[in-house]
Amino acid sequence: ARHFERALKGLILSMDTQLSALRQYSQSLEANVSHLRHVAAEAESLKQAMAQEKIELLKAKETLERQETRREEEVRQLHARIDSLKAEVEALTPDPAMLDSVAGIMGDCTELLDEMEDECVKQGAILQEMSNHTGDVARISGEDPIAMRRPENGRVIELKTGEILLRPYGVRDEGTQVNDV
């Protein structure tokens, strides 16, 4: 009976040790299951986040493709505009021979304009002298200025040299006869 008691105690002790080991193993498995559930929940959350990121990536790709298509269209239009402007510049660019003839014409034009400017200065001086002389005639005569403007008075005459003379006195047409002697 002592041997049986010892064997039974040994068996109980062995079973208790195995039961403790199984409890520890069970607790370890439960901890692993809990950890795996947590990891699975995180994995599911990451999977949803990844799906959302894929959707956003697809939207970004579509937007990028639209922008790229629009940019390519704009580039194509700009190249066409550049070609058009190049053709227009080429059409408007004169030949060197034409530029030489234009340079000669411009030189002639410059000379003519200089001459015209000199002539304008002369004409301005003549008009100023006429204005001064007319003012003097009007002051000297003491007549009514309206009466002086009558064409029958004959105050404005042109000499044989081409000069214009303003007389400070009235003139009437008179007939004269000249006989040879």
Side-chain angles (χ1 to χ4, degrees), residues 34-48:
S34 174
H35 177 69
L36 287 175
R37 283 184 186 148
H38 180 68
V39 168
E42 284 182 3
E44 185 62 32
S45 173
L46 288 174
K47 188 177 178 183
Q48 290 174 357

Side-chain angles (χ1 to χ4, degrees), residues 99-150:
L99 287 177
D100 291 339
S101 68
V102 168
I105 292 171
M106 291 301 291
D108 294 344
C109 181
T110 301
E111 288 177 25
L112 291 173
L113 287 174
D114 287 342
E115 289 175 11
M116 193 166 109
E117 182 180 0
D118 293 341
E119 198 58 38
C120 283
V121 169
K122 289 178 186 175
Q123 289 175 4
I126 291 170
L127 288 174
Q128 184 63 40
E129 288 175 12
M130 283 181 63
S131 174
N132 293 341
H133 185 69
T134 304
D136 290 344
V137 167
R139 277 191 299 277
I140 291 171
S141 72
E143 290 182 32
D144 180 24
I146 295 173
M148 292 175 60
R149 291 185 188 142
R150 288 190 210 132

Side-chain angles (χ1 to χ4, degrees), residues 21-114:
L22 285 175
R23 277 188 192 141
Q24 284 180 346
Y25 182 66
S26 173
Q27 287 175 354
S28 169
L29 286 177
E30 285 177 4
N32 282 343
V33 166
S34 174
H35 177 69
L36 287 175
R37 283 184 186 148
H38 180 68
V39 168
E42 284 182 3
E44 185 62 32
S45 173
L46 288 174
K47 188 177 178 183
Q48 290 174 357
M50 194 165 87
Q52 184 66 29
E53 289 295 323
K54 280 184 181 179
I55 290 170
E56 290 178 13
L57 179 64
L58 288 174
K59 287 179 182 177
K61 281 183 179 180
E62 289 174 1
T63 303
L64 180 64
E65 287 175 2
R66 282 194 307 270
Q67 289 176 346
E68 185 66 25
T69 303
R70 187 172 10 144
R71 187 193 65 80
E72 288 172 359
E73 178 63 24
E74 287 175 356
V75 166
R76 187 188 61 74
Q77 289 175 354
L78 288 174
H79 281 295
R81 179 77 172 137
I82 288 170
D83 292 340
S84 168
L85 289 174
K86 281 181 182 178
E88 189 174 336
V89 165
E90 189 174 309
L92 293 175
T93 302
D95 295 333
M98 181 186 236
L99 287 177
D100 291 339
S101 68
V102 168
I105 292 171
M106 291 301 291
D108 294 344
C109 181
T110 301
E111 288 177 25
L112 291 173
L113 287 174
D114 287 342

